[in-house]
Amino acid sequence: MRKINYKIITLLLAASLLNTSCESYLEEENNTKLNIDDADANTYKQLVATVYERARETTTHYAPDLYYVLEDLGTDIVTRGNAVVGTSDLNDYVNFNSQNLAIGVYWSNQYKIISAANIVIDNADGIDGLEEADKNMGVAESKFFRAMSYFQLVENFGGVPLVLNQITTAERDFTRASEEDVYTQIIQDLEDALAGVDQTPNKYGRVSKDAVRHLLSKVLLTRAYKPFAGSTDFTDAAALAETVISNHALVGSFESLVSIENQRNSEVIFSYLFGSNSVSRGWGNSRHQMYKFRFFDYPGLTRTVKGLGAMPTPFYYSLFEDDDERAAATFARVIYATEDYTATVGGATVNVMAGDTAMYFPKTAWSQSAINAVRYRVVNPGTYFTNDGVTDVHYPQFKKFDDPNVPFRQPDTESVGERDMVMMRSGEAYLIAAEAYLGASNPTTAAARLTTLRSRAGLTTPVLPTEVTLDFILDERARELTGEVNRWMDLKRTGKLIERTLLHNPHAKLNNALNAKNLLRPIPQYEIDNSNGLTQNPL
């Protein structure tokens, strides 16, 4: 496992996450190699910041031109952004094998975070001049991130090697711990983190007790479905979510929640910070590039943002009721012209001015005569994958992550997004609680939590206990959280990945290759080849 061998501590100069202005913890000097024997209290803070930095950077992208593909792609609500023909390994599960680049990068990234955390944990006691409170806080924060990485690893790959100490010499003898043992370690790390971090950190962006509770509630909820589940996992997950809910009030409207002017609000539990400083920002938040097609190829539209390739499925758009305010706050059915152009209506040339409608995506199909009568392009539902002579695909574009002051960037260059990346918020805590109550045979309370969350979106009809099912909750998670949380893990947790993906993902349905073996990703082949004892998942 050569990817996690670190004798020399690597410090990233852009370790910026622990203050509100997103300035660097580290001075702009050559600290890229620093021996642990020279470490002092300031170095320790930089080591902790490095854990944050690695977690942040590998979340906004896996590698240049590789984003989010193991999170939403290949699910019921996100598919590849091209015509419904051909095959794909990641989305369609055709020939998905151990040579896949994404799984190799993902595996490596998680172990890099674990390595950085282990360096902090193993060396904290030996650093001169370090205050006890600072030491304990740094260890607790590092255990939080180590737990998060192992959670992502165990759900994607099953049992994985548990590396819990700094590696200082080359090692090859790694074996896979059982899933149960990995979960035991995750929970132990989170319990230690909960005891060590502050309820209200002194700097925005640091891990709080509620961030730990939120992650632990999801871990316990996930373990509750396993053969080795704890007898109280569902009820414990619900109790943790309730504590988070009580401390983080929902924002009054979904539109206000996702507004760029209201990024740091009562609902946020934990965010990665970026900001405008080019040194501390790192790669930048890339969420503003999610779920965009090549709109700038159409008349009157300029290049403002480049999409990352994936797109929502038609099923996703169908999930929103007419009164659901989340739809208008999440995606745009109208794209406005950014420059003047001419169009033809009824054989006559008409002028379209900047600011006028350039493209429209109606929720229900327009007749051809109605389309012919307007000066803008109309894209009916059912035609999102139909080549119109300009683009292969076209659909209502996501807007809830928009970062309008960021310049146009190609996906293989730094995204330079400045918005906070919200990783945890109480809107999801309501959904975790609802699912946990359902699992604990308490649909009445589950319905109450769903009713509260939906009311914020303008859906005031109470949810009935008899309506609460896993599918109902998964639909609600899609409406509330798409692009924010890992949909693939949600579907796997609930046993719905195969059923819902083959039903609602048009490319996966076309190829019909998804089956039970795909509930685990292949272990990267280079790890199998370079480690003594690692075994492969079914291929």
Side-chain angles (χ1 to χ4, degrees):
M1 197 170 291
R2 53 189 170 83
K3 294 292 184 180
I4 52 175
N5 292 335
Y6 292 96
K7 187 172 183 179
I8 300 295
I9 302 168
T10 299
L11 297 180
L12 305 180
L13 294 181
S16 60
L17 304 184
L18 306 185
N19 74 43
T20 56
S21 63
C22 206
E23 296 297 332
S24 178
Y25 245 167
L26 309 179
E27 299 297 327
E28 293 188 49
E29 57 185 87
N30 186 14
N31 288 327
T32 55
K33 290 185 178 179
L34 180 66
N35 196 293
I36 192 65
D37 294 336
D38 301 325
D40 57 15
N42 185 57
T43 305
Y44 181 76
K45 292 180 181 179
Q46 295 174 3
L47 294 176
V48 175
T50 299
V51 182
Y52 277 84
E53 177 70 7
R54 288 188 179 173
R56 182 190 73 169
E57 290 300 281
T58 57
T59 297
T60 194
H61 75 302
Y62 298 170
D65 206 13
L66 187 60
Y67 302 76
Y68 309 118
V69 291
L70 298 184
E71 295 167 36
D72 286 351
L73 191 67
T75 68
D76 55 341
I77 60 172
V78 175
T79 190
R80 51 187 169 98
N82 48 42
V84 187
V85 296
T87 64
S88 159
D89 51 1
L90 284 169
N91 184 78
D92 305 1
Y93 302 90
V94 176
N95 298 324
F96 192 10
N97 60 49
S98 59
Q99 301 288 353
N100 179 272
L101 174 63
I103 60 169
V105 174
Y106 190 86
W107 173 286
S108 175
N109 284 346
Q110 298 310 316
Y111 274 110
K112 285 178 181 178
I113 298 166
I114 291 165
S115 175
N118 286 342
I119 290 170
V120 173
I121 295 164
D122 280 6
N123 293 286
D125 286 332
I127 294 179
D128 292 336
L130 183 60
E131 296 288 338
E132 188 74 9
D134 290 337
K135 180 190 77 172
N136 293 338
M137 179 76 70
V139 168
E141 291 169 311
S142 297
K143 287 188 174 183
F144 169 85
F145 286 108
R146 184 169 74 177
M148 183 185 293
S149 285
Y150 271 122
F151 183 44
Q152 292 167 339
L153 285 167
V154 74
E155 280 305 291
N156 277 278
F157 300 102
V160 294
L162 276 174
V163 183
L164 303 176
N165 297 103
Q166 178 186 356
I167 295 176
T168 57
T169 59
E171 295 185 28
R172 293 171 61 91
D173 296 328
F174 293 96
T175 58
R176 298 174 65 174
S178 68
E179 283 193 54
E180 183 173 4
D181 286 346
V182 176
Y183 265 90
T184 298
Q185 183 61 49
I186 292 168
I187 292 167
Q188 182 61 62
D189 274 352
L190 290 176
E191 289 175 346
D192 291 346
L194 186 59
V197 301
D198 288 340
Q199 177 63 39
T200 305
N202 59 3
K203 290 182 178 178
Y204 193 87
R206 297 192 76 157
V207 174
S208 67
K209 287 189 184 298
D210 280 337
V212 180
R213 291 184 183 110
H214 187 84
L215 179 55
L216 182 55
S217 69
K218 188 180 287 191
V219 168
L220 292 174
L221 178 64
T222 306
R223 192 178 71 166
Y225 293 94
K226 308 283 186 182
F228 50 84
S231 60
T232 61
D233 280 352
F234 279 126
T235 54
D236 290 346
L240 287 162
E242 290 288 5
T243 300
V244 172
I245 288 168
S246 68
N247 293 332
H248 293 270
L250 293 176
V251 174
S253 72
F254 199 81
E255 181 178 12
S256 177
L257 170 70
V258 302
S259 169
I260 196 170
E261 305 300 329
N262 190 34
Q263 298 177 61
R264 301 180 182 181
N265 55 66
S266 61
E267 192 164 332
V268 174
I269 302 165
F270 178 68
S271 295
Y272 290 127
L273 312 186
F274 293 90
S276 59
N277 185 306
S278 61
V279 174
S280 64
R281 182 176 58 223
W283 188 269
N285 188 345
S286 58
R287 280 186 178 171
H288 66 285
Q289 297 175 276
M290 295 178 79
Y291 314 136
K292 311 275 192 183
F293 69 98
R294 292 180 61 92
F295 62 92
F296 46 80
D297 288 340
Y298 291 86
L301 298 173
T302 53
R303 300 198 319 171
T304 54
V305 62
K306 179 71 176 290
L308 300 175
M311 63 176 281
T313 62
F315 168 72
Y316 170 75
Y317 295 109
S318 75
L319 287 170
F320 293 87
E321 301 172 44
D322 290 342
D323 295 335
D324 194 330
E325 297 170 2
R326 290 171 296 193
T330 300
F331 54 85
R333 292 193 177 275
V334 179
I335 302 179
Y336 295 99
T338 51
E339 59 186 11
D340 299 346
Y341 71 101
T342 59
T344 301
V345 180
T349 299
V350 296
N351 293 320
V352 181
M353 309 301 292
D356 292 346
T357 297
M359 297 188 75
Y360 178 56
F361 301 84
K363 186 172 183 179
T364 56
W366 283 22
S367 67
Q368 190 58 51
S369 60
I371 293 174
N372 293 341
V374 298
R375 64 183 67 192
Y376 47 87
R377 187 174 294 260
V378 177
V379 181
N380 274 332
T383 66
Y384 294 170
F385 296 100
T386 302
N387 188 310
D388 62 358
V390 181
T391 58
D392 287 336
V393 296
H394 17 260
Y395 47 87
Q397 297 199 118
F398 255 48
K399 57 181 279 191
K400 73 174 178 177
F401 305 127
D402 278 0
D403 205 347
N405 293 326
V406 173
F408 182 91
R409 307 286 289 186
Q410 295 291 348
D412 61 349
T413 60
E414 291 181 349
S415 298
V416 302
E418 300 178 0
R419 289 186 70 152
D420 293 352
M421 179 182 281
V422 178
M423 300 300 295
M424 301 176 181
R425 59 180 177 87
S426 57
E428 187 188 16
Y430 276 86
L431 291 159
I432 290 173
E435 187 179 333
Y437 284 125
L438 178 63
S441 302
N442 184 357
T444 299
T445 308
R449 296 298 168 270
L450 292 166
T451 295
T452 299
L453 185 64
R454 287 166 57 85
S455 294
R456 189 262 296 275
L459 304 172
T460 57
T461 302
V463 176
L464 301 176
T466 54
E467 295 178 297
V468 181
T469 63
L470 286 177
D471 284 313
F472 188 103
I473 292 170
L474 287 169
D475 288 352
E476 199 60 36
R477 289 186 72 88
R479 288 184 281 260
E480 182 78 18
L481 297 167
T482 294
E484 300 179 52
V485 300
N486 192 309
R487 182 65 170 186
W488 190 91
M489 287 175 60
D490 288 341
L491 294 182
K492 179 190 172 181
R493 176 184 68 247
T494 55
K496 293 286 187 175
L497 177 65
I498 298 172
E499 172 192 340
R500 289 179 65 110
T501 301
L502 290 179
L503 188 61
H504 300 303
N505 183 306
H507 299 89
K509 182 178 182 179
L510 171 72
N511 287 289
N512 197 33
L514 174 59
N515 58 53
K517 74 177 183 181
N518 301 119
L519 297 175
L520 293 176
R521 318 280 197 183
I523 303 293
Q525 191 59 45
Y526 68 78
E527 292 291 357
I528 300 293
D529 295 341
N530 291 296
S531 300
N532 297 324
L534 274 187
T535 56
Q536 184 57 272
N537 288 325
L539 295 175

